[in-house]
Amino acid sequence: MLARVRLVLVGPPGSGKGTQGPVLASHLGVPHISTGDLLRRHVDSGTALGRRVAEVIDRGELVPDDLMIDVVVDALGDAATRGYVLDGFPRTVTQAEVLEKGGSALPAPDLAVHLTIPDEVVHQRLAKRAIEEGRRDDADPEVIERRLRLYREETEPLIAHYRDRDALVTVDGDGPLEDVSSRLLDAVSRQAPGEPRR
Ligand code: AP5
């Protein structure tokens, strides 16, 4: 059984974390938790947190680590010990370190899955979503560039962080959705062999 697998998805904007996260979570029988979705729900509901982070998200900047850690501890709840697919967290080495030292509230991941796609595909996918879904941080190419730059500066160091811990798999996120899903499920099964939960 792939019980209690804790997996984090790391990849640039538009790499498919939010699309493939639920596929992986369903395969593993654990919850999928997207920090971007959580934050957008706060913004849409007009909570104090949502009012605080709305402009940060629209500018394509990162929400401060301390706020994010509170959001994730709150969202994980019981899932922390039952397993999870976390999408969008950690996004900085500080967040990864908290996830490793966080004890029962935030147990460390077993595996980090690094999804890769070329920058031009990022721009194509996000421009399309801006038209179809109206996400404000997709609408301006400069904001997309800022998200990519912050990804390289703040998030990419996580690749070495997890590789050093022998807890990294890299998967090509370009190509048809079903092909990416197959590559991901293959890669994860090889790292955590066993029968998927039904
Ligand atoms: P978040 O929502 O996590 O934004 P992101 O990382 O920029 O990721 P995206 O949602 O744009 O892309 P994705 O990789 O999930 O791809 P998706 O599957 O959606 O975070 C938003 C903001 O919140 C951040 O900028 C930051 O401000 C803040 N935040 C969140 N977490 C934080 C943290 N931990 N610390 C600090 N701040 C934080 O796909 C994108 C599009 O492509 C979709 O339309 C999809 O349908 C399409 N697509 C996917 N796969 C394919 C495919 N194979 N072929 C064709 N199209 C595809």
Side-chain angles (χ1 to χ4, degrees), residues 20-93:
Q20 301 294 343
V23 176
L24 277 174
S26 156
H27 175 77
L28 296 168
V30 298
H32 165 241
I33 295 162
S34 154
T35 48
D37 287 349
L38 287 171
L39 292 172
R40 282 185 287 277
R41 277 203 285 277
H42 275 280
V43 172
D44 291 346
S45 314
T47 65
L49 173 68
R51 290 196 298 276
R52 204 166 154 191
V53 301
E55 283 189 14
V56 176
I57 296 173
D58 285 353
R59 288 195 299 265
E61 293 167 359
L62 291 181
V63 171
D65 287 333
D66 54 342
L67 272 186
M68 281 317 304
I69 289 155
D70 287 348
V71 168
V72 171
V73 170
D74 191 44
L76 271 177
D78 285 352
T81 47
R82 285 189 291 111
Y84 55 69
V85 171
L86 260 180
D87 146 12
F89 185 98
R91 220 169 181 109
T92 63
V93 171

Side-chain angles (χ1 to χ4, degrees), residues 95-108:
Q95 292 178 11
E97 286 172 350
V98 169
L99 202 50
E100 271 144 40
K101 290 189 209 127
S104 57
L106 274 182

Side-chain angles (χ1 to χ4, degrees), residues 4-191:
R4 296 201 200 105
V5 171
R6 293 185 287 264
L7 191 151
V8 296
L9 285 171
V10 180
S15 56
K17 304 181 296 294
T19 304
Q20 301 294 343
V23 176
L24 277 174
S26 156
H27 175 77
L28 296 168
V30 298
H32 165 241
I33 295 162
S34 154
T35 48
D37 287 349
L38 287 171
L39 292 172
R40 282 185 287 277
R41 277 203 285 277
H42 275 280
V43 172
D44 291 346
S45 314
T47 65
L49 173 68
R51 290 196 298 276
R52 204 166 154 191
V53 301
E55 283 189 14
V56 176
I57 296 173
D58 285 353
R59 288 195 299 265
E61 293 167 359
L62 291 181
V63 171
D65 287 333
D66 54 342
L67 272 186
M68 281 317 304
I69 289 155
D70 287 348
V71 168
V72 171
V73 170
D74 191 44
L76 271 177
D78 285 352
T81 47
R82 285 189 291 111
Y84 55 69
V85 171
L86 260 180
D87 146 12
F89 185 98
R91 220 169 181 109
T92 63
V93 171
T94 302
Q95 292 178 11
E97 286 172 350
V98 169
L99 202 50
E100 271 144 40
K101 290 189 209 127
S104 57
L106 274 182
D110 306 300
L111 190 65
V113 178
H114 173 207
L115 269 177
T116 62
I117 54 165
D119 285 3
E120 62 266 27
V121 180
V122 171
H123 279 280
Q124 284 160 14
R125 286 186 184 176
L126 300 191
K128 185 163 179 268
R129 186 171 60 187
I131 295 165
E132 290 174 352
E133 296 177 28
R135 227 176 96 171
R136 286 192 299 274
D137 57 343
D138 292 337
D140 180 348
E142 275 184 31
V143 171
I144 295 174
E145 275 303 317
R146 186 173 303 127
R147 289 161 68 191
L148 276 167
R149 179 174 55 75
L150 282 171
Y151 173 74
R152 286 191 197 97
E153 291 173 0
E154 302 288 344
T155 310
E156 248 178 16
L158 293 177
I159 307 306
H161 178 91
Y162 288 115
R163 188 182 293 121
D164 290 348
R165 284 155 183 74
D166 205 18
L168 182 79
V169 288
T170 297
V171 173
D172 179 2
D174 198 6
L177 284 177
E178 298 73 20
D179 293 1
V180 178
S181 299
S182 300
R183 287 196 287 270
L184 270 167
L185 294 176
D186 254 25
V188 169
S189 299
R190 268 186 270 114
Q191 294 295 315

